[in-house]
Amino acid sequence: MDYILKTGNISKIYPNGTIANRNVSLEVKQGEILGLVGENGAGKSTLMKILYGEEAPSSGEIYLNGQQVSFSSSLEAIRAGIGIVHQHFMLVPSLSLAENLVLGHEPVKERTRFFDFNTAVKITEELSKKYNLPVYAKARVVDVSVSMRQKLEILKALYRGAKILILDEPTAVLTPQETDELFVELKALQQHGHTIIFISHKLNEIFKLCDRVSVMRDGRLIATHVVADVNSQTISNEMVGREVQLHLKKEQAHPGEVVLKVRDLSFVDDFGIKMLNHVSFSLRKGEVLGVVGVDGNGQSELVQILTGSAATLTGSVEAFGKNITNSSQRAIRRTGIAHIAEDRMTTGAALSASIEDNLIADRYLDSSYSTKTGFLKREALAAASKEIVRSFDIRCGSPRQPVSSLSGGNIQKVVIGREFTAKADILVIAQPTRGVDIGAIEFIHQRILEMRSKGKAILLVSSDLQEVMTISDSLIVMNAGRISAYFEHAEETTDKELGLYMLGLKTQTSEEIRRALHEA
């Protein structure tokens, strides 16, 4: 076989004893698109960091074009023709796309040696045309769509000479239309002779795009298949090491009374952009109301206002008949609202604190866990945390270990365990399975539906259309800070149609959208 990149028995053992990779021998063919899948903590990211020079292997070899190589930095990997596009964009928002493209490799004017912006624009436009990755060279990053930022990241790697591209969850925040467009562009890159390693948790994308797929579990390479020879069930079972239930059983919803009323919310961000523009809707008991939209269209700001981490310019929020507009986070929690934050690593959990401390962070003032004099009842806290660890299947050695020692999926279970046991009747859930493996996704989805069956009102904000359409009973679509569509029944629409509303290519009438208010 004509392999452009190979690893020979790569292992990575960290000083604390953690084994991230165990004798991994991965083979990537010249000009192929190889899918790489596995649970969080399976070793995918560590292996890619080793290939990109960000980590050094404890043992094993890397072969590029048949020659053994060793990278001590990402700069050396780039010079060898390996580029990576991270899941979280490495862009400067206030700079233009052209300036971001050439950052670190800036063209300069011969006489003055000052930065040559016009040449940077020309380079960007020519590269964009060559690879059919259209971008607005002179626009600021903050002003362009997420999909254009994704294209820019790919162009940055190509500009630096990458022949092998590693793409880490590149479609996580794209609409179906943008994903289809990206796949066309990746296929074109393949035709140009580029080799692509495509990391994704979305198996439908692996089967649509990739030639082969490699499966990792517990730091090992489990198998590599020709995509046409396997199905999703086989890959899922190999990833998790057991039979996975791919089709969620969901009973018919029976929504009750309105418990959350949102009226006329508006919000302007630090760049002066109106992120929310007179948003109004209602949420009912026993209902999962999904909110979808391309990232950056107001969903995050909506969640922040509802949970007390941002203040609205106009409008009101009412929960259980009480006005909680611009109330503090503690006051909102006392009203009966729990919150699963979209970024578990910064706002969802305190990484340096223990699992136990994270699990009781919202209830340490409760009389069950603290005395009148302010001392914590450690035995009660330990018992409560152990029960949450057991009930939510948090894989850990002890509730006393730091959250930072857990995998991404288990950190998310800590957050969900805390919020789902908070005795709240309204759950504001943002991106519950972002970056989470298929086994944890299955678990989280089941728990959300269990909360619905208990009569909880759930607002589910997610950029994963398949997730929203599977879990939600009704749907709101957001575009440019407005509600562009409302569907009383999620099954009334398709992912392609939702994509049109998300992109602003289609909009419902104001009367159709008013149905989201549930007013007689």
Side-chain angles (χ1 to χ4, degrees):
M1 292 291 182
D2 187 14
Y3 295 113
I4 188 173
L5 181 65
K6 293 174 63 176
T7 65
N9 295 313
I10 288 288
S11 292
K12 178 64 179 181
I13 304 173
Y14 289 99
N16 64 3
T18 300
I19 303 175
N21 289 144
R22 305 168 187 260
N23 300 316
V24 177
S25 295
L26 182 73
E27 298 175 325
V28 187
K29 294 180 183 180
Q30 167 70 48
E32 78 169 332
I33 301 180
L34 175 70
L36 184 61
V37 299
E39 291 191 286
N40 277 50
K44 305 186 303 296
S45 295
T46 301
L47 182 62
M48 293 304 104
K49 287 178 181 178
I50 290 172
L51 292 177
Y52 191 56
E54 294 180 334
E55 295 272 6
S58 302
S59 62
E61 303 85 32
I62 302 171
Y63 297 91
L64 182 63
N65 294 313
Q67 301 294 316
Q68 185 172 347
V69 295
S70 177
F71 303 132
S72 60
S73 69
S74 57
L75 183 59
E76 290 184 7
I78 291 169
R79 286 172 178 166
I82 299 175
I84 192 167
V85 176
H86 295 281
Q87 182 177 350
H88 303 290
F89 301 148
M90 304 293 187
L91 300 171
V92 182
S94 59
L95 296 183
S96 70
L97 274 67
E99 289 166 325
N100 271 276
L101 180 87
V102 301
L103 198 60
H105 299 76
E106 298 90 344
V108 295
K109 297 176 182 178
E110 288 188 13
R111 291 184 179 179
T112 63
R113 308 306 295 171
F114 289 148
F115 172 57
D116 191 339
F117 177 72
N118 290 333
T119 299
V121 169
K122 184 180 179 182
I123 291 171
T124 305
E125 291 175 343
E126 288 177 350
L127 207 61
S128 171
K129 185 177 180 180
K130 177 181 178 181
Y131 291 108
N132 192 30
L133 291 163
V135 297
Y136 303 137
K138 295 181 180 180
R140 293 188 308 167
V141 166
V142 71
D143 296 325
V144 302
S145 68
V146 173
S147 67
M148 189 168 291
R149 296 177 201 181
Q150 182 72 266
K151 293 172 188 176
L152 177 62
E153 286 282 23
I154 295 172
L155 287 172
K156 278 174 57 182
L158 295 172
Y159 174 61
R160 287 154 179 77
K163 287 295 182 182
I164 300 172
L165 278 173
I166 301 169
L167 305 181
D168 188 4
E169 298 282 350
T171 66
V173 294
L174 302 184
T175 66
Q177 288 82 356
E178 290 169 331
T179 297
D180 289 344
E181 183 182 346
L182 176 64
F183 285 3
V184 169
E185 292 156 350
L186 294 180
K187 287 287 188 182
L189 284 175
Q190 185 182 25
Q191 292 300 313
H192 274 88
H194 288 81
T195 301
I196 298 169
I197 301 175
F198 183 85
I199 303 171
S200 179
H201 283 113
K202 301 177 182 179
L203 294 187
N204 63 313
E205 294 181 354
I206 296 292
F207 283 90
K208 188 172 184 179
L209 177 69
C210 300
D211 303 305
R212 296 189 304 147
V213 55
S214 291
V215 183
M216 293 189 68
R217 185 176 77 242
D218 296 330
R220 294 184 173 91
L221 182 66
I222 300 301
T224 297
H225 304 279
V226 174
V227 166
D229 296 341
V230 289
N231 56 34
S232 296
Q233 190 67 61
T234 299
I235 300 300
S236 300
N237 295 348
E238 288 180 347
M239 287 168 60
V240 180
R242 62 174 173 82
E243 189 77 16
V244 177
Q245 183 65 47
L246 292 178
H247 303 289
L248 196 65
K249 294 180 181 179
K250 179 182 170 186
E251 297 178 358
Q252 183 67 38
H254 301 286
E257 63 181 303
V258 170
V259 292
L260 181 71
K261 293 182 180 180
V262 174
R263 297 294 181 267
D264 201 37
L265 292 190
S266 293
F267 180 83
V268 176
D269 70 8
D270 294 338
F271 291 97
I273 298 172
K274 199 165 193 178
M275 299 304 298
L276 289 178
N277 195 351
H278 304 289
V279 171
S280 299
F281 64 89
S282 295
L283 176 63
R284 299 170 293 186
K285 290 181 63 175
E287 168 187 49
V288 178
L289 174 60
V291 180
V292 296
V294 177
D295 272 15
N297 278 268
Q299 308 95 295
S300 295
E301 289 74 16
L302 173 63
V303 169
Q304 290 168 13
I305 289 170
L306 294 180
T307 56
S309 57
T312 182
L313 289 179
T314 67
S316 64
V317 180
E318 186 179 294
F320 309 107
K322 180 181 178 181
N323 189 331
I324 59 168
T325 310
N326 297 336
S327 295
S328 67
Q329 293 183 36
R330 179 175 292 181
I332 288 172
R333 280 189 172 274
R334 286 177 175 171
T335 305
I337 298 177
H339 173 216
I340 295 174
E342 69 176 84
D343 189 344
R344 57 181 173 266
M345 308 302 279
T346 56
T347 53
L351 298 183
S352 60
S354 69
I355 297 168
E356 180 179 294
D357 286 341
N358 272 273
L359 290 173
I360 59 90
D362 65 325
R363 63 201 71 176
Y364 64 90
L365 292 177
D366 190 291
S367 59
S368 300
Y369 304 113
S370 65
T371 65
K372 292 181 179 179
T373 55
F375 289 99
L376 295 176
K377 299 178 180 178
R378 275 295 173 186
E379 289 186 6
L381 291 172
S385 63
K386 284 180 181 177
E387 175 56 26
I388 296 174
V389 166
R390 184 198 65 78
S391 178
F392 286 83
D393 191 30
I394 299 168
R395 307 290 176 86
C396 63
S398 163
R400 294 291 179 88
Q401 73 186 70
V403 165
S404 59
S405 66
L406 301 179
S407 69
N410 280 298
I411 293 175
Q412 189 72 345
K413 286 182 181 179
V414 169
V415 177
I416 289 173
R418 179 185 66 225
E419 301 304 320
F420 279 18
T421 58
K423 299 179 182 179
D425 289 314
I426 297 174
L427 302 172
V428 178
I429 302 176
Q431 313 297 348
T433 60
R434 176 175 283 175
V436 170
D437 57 71
I438 195 165
I441 288 172
E442 175 192 27
F443 178 89
I444 292 168
H445 285 175
Q446 288 173 343
R447 287 296 180 139
I448 291 174
L449 290 181
E450 285 176 15
M451 298 303 283
R452 184 194 71 161
S453 68
K454 293 177 181 179
K456 308 296 184 183
I458 300 169
L459 187 73
L460 173 64
V461 180
S462 176
S463 56
D464 186 335
L465 282 188
Q466 197 59 48
E467 173 172 75
V468 174
M469 296 183 71
T470 300
I471 299 294
S472 302
D473 303 306
S474 49
L475 279 171
I476 282 173
V477 186
M478 293 191 68
N479 172 258
R482 292 180 179 271
I483 295 177
S484 59
Y486 170 72
F487 296 94
E488 180 75 25
H489 305 287
E491 62 270 19
E492 292 175 355
T493 185
T494 64
D495 59 348
K496 297 292 186 184
E497 185 179 20
L498 287 177
L500 294 175
Y501 286 111
M502 289 166 67
L503 293 169
L505 301 176
K506 195 173 181 181
T507 306
Q508 287 182 353
T509 66
S510 57
E511 189 56 39
E512 288 176 305
I513 295 173
R514 274 190 61 81
R515 292 184 300 145
L517 299 176
H518 300 303
E519 294 178 342

